[in-house]
Amino acid sequence: MADPVPPVSVRVADDRDLPALARLRREWTAERTGGQVEDDHFDRSFAAWWRTELPRRTFWVAEAGTDRSGYTVVGSLNVVEIGNMPRPGARPGRWGYVGNAFVVASYSDRGVAAALLTAAVEHARARRYQRLVLRPTPSSTPFYLRHGFAPAGEGMLMLLPHAAPAEGAGPDGPS
């Protein structure tokens, strides 16, 4: 009998997650290049990037495990908040750019990507973003379309966070 899959939860990342986020970025790179890329300075440059980006990005991590067994970060996603330039007679709005979504292969098709995206959409609603946009990979485009995003030109997809959820939006992860 196979071991049961540990439960997965999603939460906002903090400084304690920096090593796990760097590990996920290494795994993402290895998947795309066909192997590990040696870079003795990567952890330092990732930490510097994290510190620079943190004021304008919200990061989420998906963790698998239990209090008893411990937790392992198995996915992440972030949203960059972009403020519109003010104009006379109107309140400036905000929108978000979804980026760097990644779930380790052993957790793909288990609802992890959907849980991460749900957290980002809830954040967008709470922050009253006018829109969420992203530039998905060709293989992840169907996932985002199933979750209410629509084509927005030049390979971009957009979601209006305050619109009603799309028909058929389901929990499965990227294809």
Side-chain angles (χ1 to χ4, degrees):
M1 181 173 171
D3 290 334
V5 176
V8 175
S9 59
V10 173
R11 64 174 175 78
V12 172
D14 60 34
D15 286 335
R16 294 169 294 182
D17 298 304
L18 188 54
L21 290 167
R23 176 185 51 80
L24 289 176
R25 191 62 171 172
R26 283 184 184 277
E27 288 184 40
W28 177 89
T29 302
E31 275 190 15
R32 278 143 187 85
T33 62
Q36 294 295 324
V37 175
E38 293 301 319
D39 182 347
D40 295 336
H41 304 287
F42 173 72
D43 289 340
R44 194 170 339 143
S45 42
F46 190 86
W49 176 82
W50 164 269
R51 284 189 297 280
T52 300
E53 291 295 316
L54 198 52
R56 67 187 195 125
R57 284 185 197 254
T58 302
F59 293 79
W60 290 269
V61 292
E63 297 179 304
T66 64
D67 287 339
R68 183 178 179 148
S69 66
Y71 293 93
T72 301
V73 174
V74 297
S76 67
L77 175 143
N78 69 71
V79 173
V80 178
E81 182 172 298
I82 299 164
N84 294 337
M85 181 184 288
R87 63 185 170 98
R91 295 173 62 191
R94 296 184 293 254
W95 58 281
Y97 183 88
V98 178
N100 311 112
F102 178 71
V103 175
V104 298
S106 61
Y107 277 83
S108 64
D109 297 325
R110 295 188 180 179
V112 175
L116 287 162
L117 185 59
T118 296
V121 171
E122 289 172 359
H123 173 79
R125 288 184 177 130
R127 300 277 301 158
R128 303 192 49 78
Y129 289 176
Q130 295 166 323
R131 69 187 61 86
L132 276 176
V133 297
L134 56 90
R135 185 180 301 275
T137 62
S139 64
S140 68
T141 297
F143 165 76
Y144 291 107
L145 292 173
R146 285 192 308 270
H147 286 83
F149 283 76
E154 298 184 31
M156 302 291 286
L157 296 179
M158 179 174 64
L159 174 81
L160 303 176
H162 296 284
E167 285 291 320
D172 14 334
S175 301

